[in-house]
């Protein structure tokens, strides 16, 4: 089965909250490193960044600017991992 993005939500002007067709949990993708590349410089514009959508299983903003679902899946982090890293209870 091909990996496809089923939903995307922009968060904090930098992150994408994603769900995929073969996962039961959400993942977060950080766009910080992409923004250093000239082709992705438009992501710095908050209005543009927030207009993200799912386009045929990929994430995109327009026909020229899309992110591959396989790359997103591999390079994103499960929300559960983020929560456990930052909100791990202190041993008593």
């Amino acid at each position: 089965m091909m990996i496809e993005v089923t939903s995307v939500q922009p968060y904090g002007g930098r992150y994408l909250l994603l769900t995929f067709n073969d996962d039961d949990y959400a993942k977060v993708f950080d766009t910080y490193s992409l923004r250093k590349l000239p082709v992705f410089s438009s992501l710095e514009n908050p209005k543009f960044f927030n207009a993200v959508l799912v386009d045929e299983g990929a994430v995109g903003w327009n026909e020229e600017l899309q992110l591959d679902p396989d790359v997103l899946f591999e390079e994103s982090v499960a929300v559960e991992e983020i929560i456990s890293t930052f909100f791990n209870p202190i041993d008593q």
Side-chain angles (χ1 to χ4, degrees):
M1 173 166 56
M2 289 180 46
I3 300 269
E4 293 183 348
V5 176
T6 55
S7 70
V8 61
Q9 181 178 353
Y11 183 78
R14 175 175 158 178
Y15 303 97
L16 299 174
L17 180 61
L18 306 161
T19 57
F20 296 89
N21 62 332
D22 72 336
D23 260 341
D24 293 332
Y25 55 90
K27 296 181 94 172
V28 175
F29 180 78
D30 186 348
T31 64
Y32 177 76
S33 61
L34 290 180
R35 294 167 185 239
K36 296 177 182 178
L37 303 172
V39 69
F40 290 106
S41 64
S42 55
L43 296 181
E44 291 292 334
N45 178 323
K47 187 175 181 179
F48 184 83
F49 180 76
N50 289 332
V52 65
L53 52 85
V54 176
D55 183 18
E56 297 182 16
V59 166
W61 289 266
N62 56 37
E63 290 183 9
E64 291 91 34
L65 192 59
Q66 295 186 345
L67 301 176
D68 181 88
D70 291 320
V71 172
L72 289 170
F73 186 83
E74 292 299 321
E75 295 187 14
S76 58
V77 178
V79 171
E80 289 82 3
E81 289 179 41
I82 294 169
I83 291 171
S84 66
T85 299
F86 292 101
F87 301 103
N88 199 4
I90 299 173
D91 293 340
Q92 296 185 16

